[in-house]
Amino acid sequence: MRRVVVTGLGLLTPLGLGVDVNWKRLVSGTVGINKINDFDVSDLPCKIAGQIPTKDQDPEGGLNIDDWLEPREYKRIDRFIAYGLISATQAVEDSGWKPLNENQKNRTGVILGSGIGGLETISETTEILNTKGPRKVSPFFIPSALINLLSGQVSIKYGFKGPNHSVVTACSTGAHAIGDASRIIRYGDADVMIAGGAEAACCRIGMAGFAAARALSTNFNNDPYLSSRPWDQDRDGFVMGEGAGVVVLEEKEHAIRRGAKIYAEIKGYGLSGDAHHITAPAENGDGGFRAMESAIKDANLVSGDLDYINAHGTSTPLGDIIELKAIGRLLNKNIENISISSTKSSTGHLLGAAGAIEAIYSILSIVNQTAPPTNNLLNPDKETLGFDLVPINSKNRKIKNVLSNSFGFGGTNASLVIGSSD
């Protein structure tokens, strides 16, 4: 079977723009969550989110859209597509991959997804329709909101003519996109794939919807930096985040032949369904356990080969402990040898982009031999006893193999095993 390596990375998260900025801030314990100021939240129970900083707010890591997209182009796409395009541009440039002929273009594909897609555009267009009538609806409305148009836009920009696909599996989207893309390469349908996820659901309708489902944190509106606190006894829900994460995946020999730098290898991929509830995970964590077990088996490893787990860990009262129990079942006697953390404590929950950015953080943990911290873990739940959850401070340690988890509404689960390429 062909081996799949990572040769390019692109990140845009609440911690900032770019891989270097993200990693520096992640391991230093920076939290990218703040009060929402760009739309009215006065009547919403949750008033905080992990939004993308602007250049004015953050000269080092902030985003100036005009540096990446022409104003006319930006007006024709939803923010999730813009975020995905920016991250894909970083990843492709980082990889140095430039197809030189038609065959190479045909062997390069794209799988980029989103959990929700153009929610803000749909909301705004509905308002225009209801107040100004159908003649005022933009002809770009549909292609600006469709989730697969992110893949389409990247494909068109670079002329990549291979598999053009999209994933929509709620909060598992980014991980599923990377896993599916790796299998496309492994089975010989492409040599290079651009994969990941993007999300921009921090808008009134998005916040109101998740708040109505009682999924969001509401106890830390005055202390947003403390709001995302996986496994802490004071956790009360997840914090919305937005942004994108994109990787360039490549068949290993193809990468070696062209002299590409190789960050890591996608060794295993597992996926499963809970068949239990539309929003809540199965209480025994069996779906997540089976996804993890499948990913490890696919990597031809055993649980004792893992060094670090980037957990789904959203900071919800129910989900955090269910996942941890499933991890404990998976690791058995190897618990004390493995570090586990949730980087959502820094970024909030990026929904369809979460699995992709967390896969990139996992890759960087191997490159830098450092496990990122779980912020705000000040009063651990009693169920955490015996687990190394890397509280507050990052941890330097040997990391060869990482498991990254992503679980979503509808009981959809994805796990990736990422390892050093040797």
Side-chain angles (χ1 to χ4, degrees):
M1 190 72 71
R2 288 155 42 112
R3 296 172 66 179
V4 181
V5 296
V6 181
T7 58
L9 305 174
L11 279 173
L12 176 61
T13 81
L15 291 179
L17 171 67
V19 172
D20 292 342
V21 165
N22 264 266
W23 182 251
K24 180 177 72 173
R25 293 178 176 179
L26 182 70
V27 296
S28 68
T30 301
V31 174
I33 298 167
N34 218 319
K35 294 182 179 180
I36 296 171
N37 293 312
D38 55 356
F39 58 88
D40 181 22
V41 294
S42 61
D43 56 351
L44 297 177
C46 178
K47 306 177 190 301
I48 58 177
Q51 297 180 283
I52 303 301
T54 65
K55 200 74 171 178
D56 291 339
Q57 295 167 332
D58 180 1
E60 181 188 17
L63 172 66
N64 179 7
I65 287 282
D66 292 340
D67 292 339
W68 297 85
L69 299 168
E70 294 292 333
R72 184 179 179 185
E73 180 185 10
Y74 183 46
K75 288 180 180 179
R76 295 178 174 181
I77 57 177
D78 188 88
R79 283 189 304 121
F80 91 94
I81 293 179
Y83 292 165
L85 272 168
I86 290 167
S87 295
T89 300
Q90 293 176 64
V92 172
E93 291 181 356
D94 182 41
S95 74
W97 174 238
K98 296 179 181 179
L100 300 176
N101 54 51
E102 197 69 11
N103 182 62
Q104 290 180 344
K105 291 179 181 179
N106 293 342
R107 300 288 297 172
T108 304
V110 186
I111 295 188
L112 297 168
S114 178
I116 295 180
L119 186 62
E120 188 172 49
T121 294
I122 293 169
S123 177
E124 291 174 351
T125 304
T126 301
E127 181 68 18
I128 290 170
L129 176 64
N130 290 337
T131 58
K132 299 181 179 180
R135 293 177 65 86
K136 294 297 183 180
V137 172
S138 169
F140 297 101
F141 163 54
I142 296 298
S144 71
L146 285 174
I147 288 176
N148 75 294
L149 259 291
L150 171 53
S151 291
Q153 290 277 7
V154 172
S155 171
I156 292 166
K157 176 177 180 176
Y158 289 103
F160 297 151
K161 297 183 178 181
N164 187 316
H165 190 26
S166 195
V167 176
V168 186
T169 50
C171 307
S172 299
T173 296
H176 274 137
I178 293 172
D180 290 349
S182 70
R183 287 190 173 175
I184 285 174
I185 295 173
R186 285 168 70 180
Y187 286 104
D189 292 324
D191 296 321
V192 181
M193 291 293 296
I194 318 305
E199 204 75 84
C202 291
C203 56
R204 272 185 61 77
I205 192 170
M207 297 295 294
F210 280 105
R214 298 186 178 181
L216 300 178
S217 171
T218 58
N219 291 340
F220 297 90
N221 288 327
N222 294 322
D223 297 295
Y225 299 120
L226 303 177
S227 57
S228 186
R229 46 196 318 115
W231 302 300
D232 189 88
Q233 289 187 32
D234 294 325
R235 68 191 185 279
D236 71 323
F238 76 80
V239 181
M240 286 272 277
E242 57 185 10
V246 177
V247 298
V248 174
L249 303 180
E250 196 165 343
E251 192 272 323
K252 185 174 183 180
E253 294 305 316
H254 184 278
I256 291 172
R257 282 196 301 272
R258 71 179 186 90
K261 68 176 177 295
I262 295 175
Y263 287 101
E265 180 176 355
I266 306 299
K267 292 187 173 182
Y269 173 42
L271 57 170
S272 70
D274 285 355
H276 173 70
H277 189 271
I278 58 172
T279 58
E283 293 181 5
N284 62 4
D286 185 63
F289 171 81
R290 286 184 290 107
M292 291 186 281
E293 186 179 51
S294 294
I296 293 170
K297 181 179 179 181
D298 188 43
N300 198 27
L301 300 174
V302 295
S303 63
D305 294 321
L306 300 176
D307 303 298
Y308 168 60
I309 296 176
N310 188 298
H312 184 58
T314 60
S315 192
T316 58
L318 185 66
D320 285 10
I321 297 305
I322 289 176
E323 180 185 13
L324 201 60
K325 287 182 177 179
I327 290 173
R329 177 184 169 194
L330 179 82
L331 300 179
N332 199 358
K333 297 179 180 179
N334 297 309
I335 290 175
E336 61 185 24
N337 300 320
I338 296 177
S339 297
I340 307 164
S341 67
S342 172
T343 50
K344 290 183 179 73
S345 61
S346 291
T347 64
H349 188 2
L350 273 70
L351 309 179
I357 71 162
E358 289 157 17
I360 294 174
Y361 290 157
S362 297
I363 291 164
L364 295 173
S365 74
I366 296 169
V367 172
N368 295 282
Q369 295 291 284
T370 303
T374 302
N375 292 314
N376 301 318
L377 185 52
L378 304 173
N379 189 19
D381 193 291
K382 63 181 181 179
E383 302 287 351
T384 66
L385 185 65
F387 291 91
D388 173 18
L389 299 178
V390 199
I392 313 303
N393 297 310
S394 57
K395 182 175 184 178
N396 296 327
R397 58 157 297 161
K398 175 189 173 184
I399 301 178
K400 183 176 181 180
N401 294 305
V402 176
L403 178 72
S404 184
N405 284 337
S406 295
F407 309 139
F409 280 4
T412 178
N413 309 301
S415 295
L416 295 169
V417 172
I418 302 167
S420 58
S421 180
D422 47 26

